Amino acid sequence: MVPYAANLEQIRVLTVDDHPLMREGIAAVIADQPDMVAVGEAGNGWQGLQIYDRLRPDVTLMDIQMPGMDGLEALGRLRTLSPTARVIVLTTFKADAQAYEALKLGAAGYLLKTQLRTELLDAIRAVHRGNRWIPNEIAQEIAAHAGRETLSTREVDVLEQIAQGLSNREIGGVLSLSEDTIKARVKTILAKLDARDRTHAVVLALRRGLLRL
């Protein structure tokens, strides 16, 4: 009998993640699959782009939280380099803003790292077939905030300063704006996030991926 793997065109997978143990774990899982092969790995976004350009894998697994060039920036650049690239974004957080941004940038899948053991292989196969892979809880997060106004770039700037513990007067000094302008923006931020106060706004923004510190 001809071995099963000989009848298959193996799915070539590249993993981009800054944690060596994560890359090794994914490679070990893929190694047990007759229809897949791990062709390469990278520890940051820049390296991932270079290796992708050289190997042209079928599916790329891309971590979001990486030093230097994060996964979202790398995803955008990769899709510019190769518009047909099939990328599954990996993340620790089910943040709707990040998920929505990743999908806008062309990600074919979005997977929480807690789901890797149970869903990784199915996700890779689905994306390789040309389908999308969005877990129910991620879809629910996106739907829960659909239609809400998003924070503007200037509002995110203010929120970043709030997260650093600055007062409205201090934020105004940093951003070269009046204290009254900062007060108005804080009020708008609280309304958009449905937050109780400044601290709650920072917590919600971090949870949703609107703010990264």
Side-chain angles (χ1 to χ4, degrees), residues 95-150:
D96 67 283
Q98 287 185 343
Y100 183 65
E101 184 64 23
L103 295 175
K104 280 202 307 181
L105 289 170
Y110 194 97
L111 198 58
L112 293 171
K113 289 187 176 181
T114 55
Q115 300 169 322
L116 293 182
R117 183 171 296 181
T118 57
E119 298 189 26
L120 175 63
L121 299 176
D122 288 338
I124 291 174
R125 292 184 179 107
V127 167
H128 182 248
R129 290 194 300 267
N131 299 323
R132 282 197 166 191
W133 188 273
I134 305 173
N136 286 335
E137 56 200 285
I138 299 298
Q140 289 170 5
E141 283 288 322
I142 295 174
H145 301 286
R148 290 190 182 182
E149 289 185 89
T150 58

Side-chain angles (χ1 to χ4, degrees), residues 8-197:
L8 292 173
E9 180 180 346
Q10 289 182 304
I11 303 170
R12 303 168 67 252
V13 181
L14 167 65
T15 301
V16 184
D17 193 294
D18 61 322
H19 292 97
L21 289 178
M22 178 63 66
R23 300 196 304 270
E24 291 171 11
I26 289 173
V29 171
I30 289 174
D32 289 334
Q33 306 305 307
D35 61 335
M36 296 182 194
V37 57
V39 295
E41 60 181 55
N44 58 59
W46 280 113
Q47 189 180 41
L49 290 173
Q50 294 169 349
I51 295 177
Y52 177 90
D53 194 33
R54 186 172 77 248
L55 300 177
R56 296 288 169 152
D58 298 310
V59 176
T60 298
L61 306 176
M62 181 78 71
D63 184 25
I64 285 185
Q65 302 291 342
M66 293 186 289
M69 181 188 294
D70 67 20
L72 290 179
E73 183 179 354
L75 169 62
R77 289 173 180 261
L78 191 154
R79 289 281 296 177
T80 298
L81 173 69
S82 177
T84 59
R86 292 172 177 169
V87 181
I88 298 173
V89 170
L90 308 179
T91 183
T92 306
F93 309 101
K94 55 179 180 181
D96 67 283
Q98 287 185 343
Y100 183 65
E101 184 64 23
L103 295 175
K104 280 202 307 181
L105 289 170
Y110 194 97
L111 198 58
L112 293 171
K113 289 187 176 181
T114 55
Q115 300 169 322
L116 293 182
R117 183 171 296 181
T118 57
E119 298 189 26
L120 175 63
L121 299 176
D122 288 338
I124 291 174
R125 292 184 179 107
V127 167
H128 182 248
R129 290 194 300 267
N131 299 323
R132 282 197 166 191
W133 188 273
I134 305 173
N136 286 335
E137 56 200 285
I138 299 298
Q140 289 170 5
E141 283 288 322
I142 295 174
H145 301 286
R148 290 190 182 182
E149 289 185 89
T150 58
L151 298 182
S152 68
T153 301
R154 291 181 178 180
E155 288 163 353
V156 171
D157 290 341
V158 170
L159 200 53
E160 286 176 345
Q161 301 306 316
I162 291 174
Q164 298 301 319
L166 274 62
S167 66
N168 288 345
R169 182 183 297 275
E170 292 169 329
I171 296 171
V174 171
L175 301 180
S176 300
L177 296 169
S178 71
E179 185 175 358
D180 286 341
T181 297
I182 300 301
K183 285 181 179 178
R185 288 191 179 167
V186 170
K187 184 177 180 180
T188 301
I189 290 169
L190 297 181
K192 285 185 176 181
L193 296 178
D194 194 22
R196 296 186 302 271
D197 51 39

